[in-house]
Amino acid sequence: MHISYKAHDFKAKGTSSKGVMEYLTKEDINRETARFFNHDGNDFTLEEASKGIDDNKGSHGNNVSKFYILNVSPSKKELQHLDDLATDFSKKTILADYSKDQLKQMYFESLMQGYTKSVMEHYAENFNREKTVDDLVYYAKVEYKRTYKIYDADVKHNYKIDKGIEENPDQKDELILLYKRNSENEIIRENMQKDGLNAHIHVVVSRYEKHGSAKEKASLSPMSKGMKSKGFHNSQVGFSRDAMSEKAELQFDEMFVYQRTQNESYEEFKNQKNREKENYNPKSSIRFELERYTKNTVLDILESNHVIDRTIPTSLNDLKNKLEFQIKKDSGLHDALHPTRQITGEYSKLIDYSDKGIDTGY
């Protein structure tokens, strides 16, 4: 289960939630039939949802985000489990006015809605401010489709193949075989719909609690990570995303009797991230190599045009390295593995002189 949080970009898109709500109706045949849900019901129109968020005002001006967008995305295995539950329900249920496919779709959506409501209960409690879901103003919608974005791995891979064919047309037949394709054997491109189960939930939640006057309403921001910090008037702030993800995962398992393996747990996800962080070597990254290549190329061009002199130190660290080299050379320690105390002492003196504004001659 993946949950992401995004503050509304009020600078680029204004303070109203209507644009976001309209975007969330993109899968509906028309916006008039689009419906949102929350703890109070499942039949809110676009206008009602937008008005509910925009009318819930707090004490801030227009220079802060007034609402946040949560994306609740079950994994492929979790979605398949829900799909299996919905299939079993449709097989066992007979309603004259509905087909088996319609029954399955209705039940699947009811599962997603019920789970979202439980997630929002944990959301309210996670602020540790004695708030419940009844203090929230939120509207949610289930979406069933996902499209490839420009930063998706398969799209980026196919773009590289395009470039390869452009630069090596004689190898076109071989390179074409390397394209990533979907189940219809179509080359995967940006904005193309993804295969398989892709249901997820978008939740638009107000920054402010529901009750009280604008000046009294608490500001509830999931973007605030400082659990020990204090806000205005010594108010409690802070939101633990780790705790939220762990509770959401446990809730899913309990609600749907899902047997989660250790490999797909949030705990394992965190451990993997920590291992990657521990093993990460920035000097081996492509970005580091590119930056170093670009820097050296620019320096070569400047030096060849007599714009710079590389013998002149450009930083204290550069000065230290040059001094170490010169002292080693003068003292016969050029091949030493570590700088001597003399080098460290000389460098410390230079730093002290520099701090005092004394000209060191460099």
Side-chain angles (χ1 to χ4, degrees), residues 291-328:
E291 289 178 348
R292 184 172 66 173
Y293 171 78
T294 304
K295 178 182 177 181
N296 290 338
T297 300
V298 171
L299 289 175
D300 287 341
I301 294 172
L302 292 173
E303 183 179 22
S304 64
N305 288 278
H306 306 291
V307 176
I308 65 170
D309 183 352
R310 290 204 193 207
T311 63
I312 300 175
T314 58
S315 68
L316 284 175
N317 191 54
D318 190 16
L319 175 60
K320 175 188 175 183
N321 292 336
K322 289 181 181 296
L323 282 171
E324 287 181 357
F325 176 81
Q326 190 61 45
I327 294 173
K328 286 179 181 180

Side-chain angles (χ1 to χ4, degrees), residues 27 94 188 230:
E27 292 183 11
I94 298 176
I188 294 173
K230 295 291 183 181

Side-chain angles (χ1 to χ4, degrees), residues 27 30 35 70 84 93 110 114 133 151 154 168 189 205 220 236 248 265 289 297 335 357:
E27 292 183 11
N30 63 69
R35 291 295 181 267
L70 276 61
D84 292 341
T93 307
S110 71
V133 71
Y151 49 77
D154 289 345
N168 305 281
R189 300 294 188 187
V205 56
L220 305 173
Q236 180 71 41
S265 68
E289 293 296 336
T297 300
D335 295 325

Side-chain angles (χ1 to χ4, degrees), residues 42 89 104-116 142 144 255-256:
N42 301 329
F89 173 82
K104 176 181 176 180
Q105 176 72 13
M106 290 166 56
Y107 190 69
F108 184 94
E109 180 145 346
S110 71
L111 295 178
M112 294 284 278
Q113 290 179 344
Y115 177 66
T116 303
V142 179
Y144 293 90
M255 282 186 70
F256 307 119

Side-chain angles (χ1 to χ4, degrees), residues 1-91:
M1 182 65 61
H2 176 72
I3 303 178
S4 63
Y5 309 81
K6 182 179 180 180
H8 175 63
D9 185 358
F10 64 92
K11 292 182 179 179
K13 301 177 182 178
T15 58
S16 175
S17 65
K18 188 169 185 178
V20 173
M21 297 297 187
E22 289 178 345
Y23 175 77
L24 296 182
T25 65
K26 59 185 178 293
E27 292 183 11
D28 296 282
I29 296 175
N30 63 69
R31 289 172 178 167
E32 297 302 320
T33 61
R35 291 295 181 267
F36 294 78
F37 68 92
N38 61 21
H39 262 67
D40 297 323
N42 301 329
D43 200 35
F44 295 96
T45 66
L46 186 157
E47 294 296 332
E48 289 172 334
S50 177
K51 189 173 187 300
I53 295 292
D54 293 348
D55 286 353
N56 190 51
K57 301 183 184 299
S59 58
H60 295 93
N62 290 329
N63 59 342
V64 298
S65 297
K66 301 300 178 61
F67 58 91
Y68 304 93
I69 302 99
L70 276 61
N71 188 321
V72 183
S73 302
S75 68
K76 292 290 185 182
K77 288 184 178 181
E78 290 167 338
L79 286 174
Q80 187 60 60
H81 183 71
L82 295 182
D83 190 72
D84 292 341
L85 293 177
T87 299
D88 290 341
F89 173 82
S90 66
K91 289 179 179 179

Side-chain angles (χ1 to χ4, degrees), residues 120-339:
M120 294 311 292
E121 289 174 3
H122 293 306
Y123 176 87
E125 296 166 0
N126 199 44
F127 288 100
N128 296 309
R129 298 172 69 174
E130 298 183 353
K131 302 299 178 184
T132 70
V133 71
D134 291 330
D135 293 303
L136 300 180
V137 177
Y138 80 89
Y139 295 87
K141 201 170 191 306
V142 179
E143 289 191 338
Y144 293 90
K145 300 176 183 177
R146 284 194 184 279
T147 56
Y148 285 98
K149 304 296 188 293
I150 194 170
Y151 49 77
D152 282 326
D154 289 345
V155 175
K156 291 165 69 175
H157 171 85
N158 288 343
Y159 176 74
K160 291 180 181 178
I161 301 300
D162 293 340
K163 296 291 289 184
I165 293 174
E166 181 182 336
E167 296 170 358
N168 305 281
D170 56 317
Q171 299 179 22
K172 180 178 179 180
D173 292 342
E174 293 85 354
L175 292 172
I176 284 177
L177 300 176
L178 301 178
Y179 275 122
K180 299 287 186 179
R181 299 172 181 270
N182 64 11
S183 60
E184 302 295 325
N185 201 35
E186 299 169 321
I187 296 173
I188 294 173
R189 300 294 188 187
E190 183 185 2
N191 296 322
M192 182 180 289
Q193 187 173 320
K194 292 185 176 181
D195 290 332
L197 299 172
N198 289 292
H200 55 285
I201 309 109
H202 290 293
V203 183
V204 180
V205 56
S206 174
R207 181 189 194 112
Y208 307 107
E209 65 175 323
K210 181 188 299 183
H211 310 291
S213 66
K215 291 184 178 180
E216 296 171 336
K217 289 183 179 183
S219 175
L220 305 173
S221 170
M223 315 306 287
S224 176
K225 300 179 183 179
M227 298 302 292
K228 296 182 180 180
S229 302
K230 295 291 183 181
F232 292 113
H233 308 300
N234 205 38
S235 61
Q236 180 71 41
V237 299
F239 185 92
S240 172
R241 299 186 190 181
D242 277 346
M244 181 69 185
S245 293
E246 289 168 356
K247 289 178 181 177
E249 181 180 279
L250 181 61
Q251 185 68 39
F252 185 93
D253 297 350
E254 292 178 348
M255 282 186 70
F256 307 119
V257 195
Y258 182 69
Q259 303 299 316
R260 186 180 303 277
T261 64
Q262 178 62 27
N263 286 339
E264 57 178 316
S265 68
Y266 182 70
E267 180 183 5
E268 178 58 26
F269 170 78
K270 286 196 300 180
N271 291 338
Q272 178 63 27
K273 285 292 184 182
N274 289 333
R275 287 193 292 268
E276 291 175 358
K277 186 176 181 180
E278 290 173 358
N279 296 329
Y280 175 66
N281 179 8
K283 292 192 175 181
S284 65
S285 68
I286 295 176
R287 179 178 178 181
F288 176 83
E289 293 296 336
L290 180 61
E291 289 178 348
R292 184 172 66 173
Y293 171 78
T294 304
K295 178 182 177 181
N296 290 338
T297 300
V298 171
L299 289 175
D300 287 341
I301 294 172
L302 292 173
E303 183 179 22
S304 64
N305 288 278
H306 306 291
V307 176
I308 65 170
D309 183 352
R310 290 204 193 207
T311 63
I312 300 175
T314 58
S315 68
L316 284 175
N317 191 54
D318 190 16
L319 175 60
K320 175 188 175 183
N321 292 336
K322 289 181 181 296
L323 282 171
E324 287 181 357
F325 176 81
Q326 190 61 45
I327 294 173
K328 286 179 181 180
K329 184 176 180 181
D330 293 344
S331 61
L333 297 174
H334 185 267
D335 295 325
L337 294 177
H338 301 287

